Amino acid sequence: MKRYLYIVLFFFLLLVSCEQELRYTGDESEPVLVLEALPQAGSDSLTCYINRSRFFLDNTKTDPASLAKLSIELTTSSGACRIVRDSVVDFVHHLTLSAPLPAGDTLHLTVSHPDFPTIEAAEYIVPACEPTFESVTRDTTGGYHVTLRLPEYAYKNGRIGINGTLYTTWTRDTVSRPLIQTRVQSKDQIFSSLNSFFLLYQSYMAYADKGERLFFYSDYTPDTRVHLFFECPADSEKLTFHLDSIVLDIEARSATYTRYYASLLAYMNQNSDGSGMSIEEPVSVYTNISNGYGILAAKTNSQLIIK
C-alpha cells in the first residue's frame, strides 16, 4: 500500500514541477468606443448603447462616469432631425429628436470622447412595409386564411418579416374563453428561400411561431398577394369559435441589419454548448462603425389589425 502512495506522490510532484506560467507576448489593442443603435423611420427618439472595448486580458470594469465626456452628433441627409435632449442611464443614451426620422434619409452618427478615437456610422432609414388587407376566410377545418396585397416598396435590398397572432373566443353552452394562436403559416413561394418548411397535407408550408417571423426579400414583384394561415378548431354542436381579431406585425430590415443579425446568430450558435471553447476560427460579428465596433442598423415596424 505504501508503494502505491509513493508512486501517486511522485507523479503529483512531477506534474506540479512541470507547471509553467505562459505570458502573452503579442500585440495589445487599445480600447475604442462601441456603439449599438437601431433607428426606425417615424420615431422621434433613438436609443444608443455606448461603451468602450477591452483587451481580453483587461479585467477592469468600465465605470459609466469615465464616459461622461461623450459627445454625440446626429444628422440626416435631408437635415430634418437633430438632437434636442440626451438622457443618460449608465451606458444608454436616450436621444430625443427634433422631428421623426424620415424614411429614405441616410442617418449619420458621430460619437467623440477625448480619450478615444472618434467613431462614425451611416445608415439608410428603411420605410415601413404596409400591406393592404384584402380578405379573411375560414375553411372547413376551422383555420383562418388571410390575404394581403403587398405595396410598392422602394427599398429593394432588405428583407420583410411577418408574424401574427389570432385572437378567438370559444363558447360552450354559456361559458366563453379566449383562444390565442401565435403560429402563422404560408405555402407561398415568396417565403421559400428564407424560411424552413415542413410537410403538411402533402405539401410544404413555411411557419413562424411566437417571437419568430416569416421573411421574404423586399425586391418582390409589385402587386404581389401573400396568403397566411392560422390554425383553429372547427365548430361543433357544443363548441363554437368567434374571430375577435388578427394582429400582424410587419418588420422591414435594412441590408445592414440583415447582415448584422445573421453574423450575430452565427457567433452565438458556434458557442451554443456554453463551454467557451471552440476548435473553429471565431465568427466575427458584422460592424459598420468606423474607428470602433458595434452597429448602426435600421429596421422599421408596422402593424395591421384585422377584425
Side-chain angles (χ1 to χ4, degrees):
M1 183 67 181
K2 289 184 178 180
R3 179 182 177 185
Y4 288 112
L5 289 177
Y6 288 138
I7 294 174
V8 171
L9 180 60
F10 170 77
F11 279 105
F12 175 77
L13 293 175
L14 179 63
L15 291 173
V16 171
S17 64
C18 290
E19 288 185 359
Q20 182 178 359
E21 182 180 356
L22 299 177
R23 296 183 179 275
Y24 177 77
T25 59
D27 297 332
E28 296 188 16
S29 59
E30 295 295 326
V32 294
L33 293 175
V34 179
L35 164 72
E36 180 183 88
L38 306 176
Q40 295 198 41
S43 176
D44 59 1
S45 64
L46 179 63
T47 300
C48 300
Y49 171 84
I50 305 175
N51 206 330
R52 58 170 285 254
S53 65
R54 292 201 309 270
F55 186 60
F56 75 97
L57 292 178
D58 183 2
N59 295 321
T60 60
K61 293 185 177 181
T62 305
D63 183 359
S66 65
L67 298 178
K69 297 179 181 180
L70 272 173
S71 174
I72 305 175
E73 181 182 350
L74 180 150
T75 61
T76 59
S77 54
S78 68
C81 294
R82 60 182 177 84
I83 300 173
V84 296
R85 186 174 61 184
D86 181 5
S87 302
V88 186
V89 179
D90 293 333
F91 300 105
V92 181
H93 294 250
H94 301 278
L95 307 180
T96 301
L97 308 180
S98 59
L101 289 169
D105 265 23
T106 298
L107 171 67
H108 296 265
L109 268 183
T110 302
V111 181
S112 57
H113 189 283
D115 298 334
F116 306 98
T118 297
I119 62 174
E120 297 181 274
E123 172 67 336
Y124 178 82
I125 306 300
V126 294
C129 181
E130 299 177 315
T132 301
F133 166 67
E134 289 200 340
S135 66
V136 58
T137 58
R138 192 177 184 198
D139 63 25
T140 56
T141 67
Y144 286 91
H145 298 261
V146 179
T147 301
L148 307 176
R149 181 171 61 85
L150 298 181
E152 291 190 16
Y153 194 69
Y155 183 68
K156 303 299 184 181
N157 298 321
R159 295 183 182 182
I160 311 296
I162 299 179
N163 65 17
T165 304
L166 171 73
Y167 295 92
T168 58
T169 299
W170 63 261
T171 301
R172 185 193 301 271
D173 297 327
T174 59
V175 178
S176 297
R177 294 287 188 274
L179 176 67
I180 300 174
Q181 302 281 22
T182 57
R183 169 174 283 194
V184 58
Q185 307 175 32
S186 181
K187 295 181 181 180
D188 290 359
Q189 289 300 309
I190 193 172
F191 299 109
S192 62
S193 58
L194 293 176
N195 300 276
S196 298
F197 279 63
F198 68 97
L199 188 61
L200 181 68
Y201 307 130
Q202 287 74 51
S203 62
Y204 286 96
M205 181 174 286
Y207 68 97
D209 291 315
K210 184 178 181 180
E212 302 173 343
R213 295 182 189 275
L214 286 176
F215 282 100
F216 58 93
Y217 292 108
S218 63
D219 60 349
Y220 55 82
T221 303
D223 209 34
T224 296
R225 264 68 176 177
V226 170
H227 306 90
L228 306 175
F229 172 71
F230 293 89
E231 292 181 345
C232 182
D235 290 344
S236 63
E237 293 182 2
K238 296 183 178 180
L239 189 65
T240 59
F241 291 84
H242 175 266
L243 173 64
D244 297 320
S245 64
I246 298 174
V247 179
L248 301 176
D249 291 302
I250 302 98
E251 183 176 272
R253 295 182 173 183
S254 70
T256 303
Y257 187 93
T258 299
R259 185 173 179 182
Y260 163 70
Y261 193 74
S263 68
L264 184 62
L265 286 179
Y267 175 84
M268 295 174 65
N269 290 337
Q270 188 185 56
N271 297 286
S272 59
D273 63 350
S275 66
M277 299 182 65
S278 174
I279 61 174
E280 303 177 35
E281 289 293 326
V283 175
S284 297
V285 178
Y286 175 72
T287 177
N288 63 343
I289 308 297
S290 299
N291 299 323
Y293 299 112
I295 196 71
L296 175 66
K299 62 175 183 175
T300 300
N301 294 81
S302 59
Q303 190 175 80
L304 179 60
I305 300 178
I306 302 167
K307 293 187 176 182

